[in-house]
Amino acid sequence: MGQDDDVATSIAHLVLCGVAGRGISRISGKSFTHPGMHANFLVHGIVGFLHYQSGVFNNDFSGAYALTSSAARYLALPCLMADLYHSNATLRVLHLISGLIPFVMDVTGNGNAHLGNVIIAINIISLCHYSMENNREWGWYTAGAGLFAYFAAPQTGLKVLYPLGLAIMEYCAYRVFHVQFDDLVDSRGRRRPPPKPKAKK
């Protein structure tokens, strides 16, 4: 049963890779989400596959897996929120710091699971608030997927559910809106008409 679980979990990490790869392909311009969520989940998917197939590869990937797991847990949502609030410098910085603190603590061996859960919950609440104010239904779906991946899936004891939860969150996240900092492209990736020239006085 344990070996079957590892195979299923490896496949789930490959699914995460595929979804994250599509997220990367949809991003253009300056974006925290690109390395913070999409590329992060892609790397975590690759390392997760290798970790759960370490017997086949005759290598121990547990250290790398712990690092990418911590990054996937603490950096993804804050980076997404930093991009959603790209026009508000204060909120953008606060969200980024909220992810960096538990990540650095975890990596240095001083992790606090309770603090990490509180930070994740705050980012999910912030995402719900943003979704309500801006009428973004995919924001609600992303928040629900985050609750499932970070809180519900680990409680089941089924290893396969965590990477699948991350894949669902990733799928929803790149539909919240296409993060774009080009003035000629709107938040959904559609080209805006060029601005009309100002009339001469």
Side-chain angles (χ1 to χ4, degrees):
M1 185 68 179
Q3 189 172 2
D4 291 342
D5 285 348
D6 286 351
V7 170
T9 307
S10 298
I11 293 170
H13 279 89
L14 289 180
V15 171
L16 176 59
C17 285
V19 179
R22 186 173 179 192
I24 290 173
S25 71
R26 290 174 58 92
I27 290 293
S28 61
K30 183 181 176 184
S31 168
F32 292 110
T33 311
H34 181 66
M37 178 178 268
H38 305 314
N40 187 328
F41 282 176
L42 177 64
V43 172
H44 179 63
I46 294 169
V47 173
F49 172 78
L50 296 173
H51 173 68
Y52 283 101
Q53 292 299 306
S54 57
V56 175
F57 297 107
N58 201 24
N59 278 307
D60 183 15
F61 295 94
S62 55
Y65 185 71
L67 178 64
T68 61
S69 293
S70 182
R73 182 170 181 79
Y74 296 125
L75 299 180
L77 280 174
C79 287
L80 174 64
M81 295 312 303
D83 280 336
L84 292 177
Y85 286 114
H86 69 271
S87 60
N88 186 323
T90 303
L91 283 177
R92 185 176 66 226
V93 170
L94 284 175
H95 277 293
L96 289 173
I97 291 174
S98 77
L100 285 173
I101 290 173
F103 173 70
V104 171
M105 289 175 66
D106 205 42
V107 168
T108 57
N110 301 307
N112 184 320
H114 180 67
L115 173 65
N117 287 338
V118 169
I119 295 293
I120 292 169
I122 289 171
N123 277 279
I124 289 175
I125 291 169
S126 180
L127 177 55
C128 290
H129 180 264
Y130 175 88
S131 302
M132 181 177 64
E133 288 218 319
N134 296 278
N135 196 26
R136 304 285 181 173
E137 65 179 22
W138 283 102
W140 290 105
Y141 303 153
T142 305
L147 282 172
F148 172 76
Y150 294 131
F151 295 105
Q155 298 300 318
T156 66
L158 298 173
K159 298 177 289 188
V160 69
L161 290 182
Y162 181 64
L164 289 179
L166 293 181
I168 294 169
M169 187 171 72
E170 167 73 9
Y171 178 84
C172 296
Y174 63 69
R175 283 170 169 72
V176 175
F177 74 101
H178 184 62
V179 179
Q180 180 61 260
F181 295 87
D182 184 347
D183 289 338
L184 295 180
V185 180
D186 68 14
S187 62
R188 297 185 181 201
R190 298 174 299 199
R191 288 192 67 82
R192 289 187 180 127
K196 293 179 180 178
K198 292 181 180 179
K200 294 181 180 179
K201 293 183 180 180

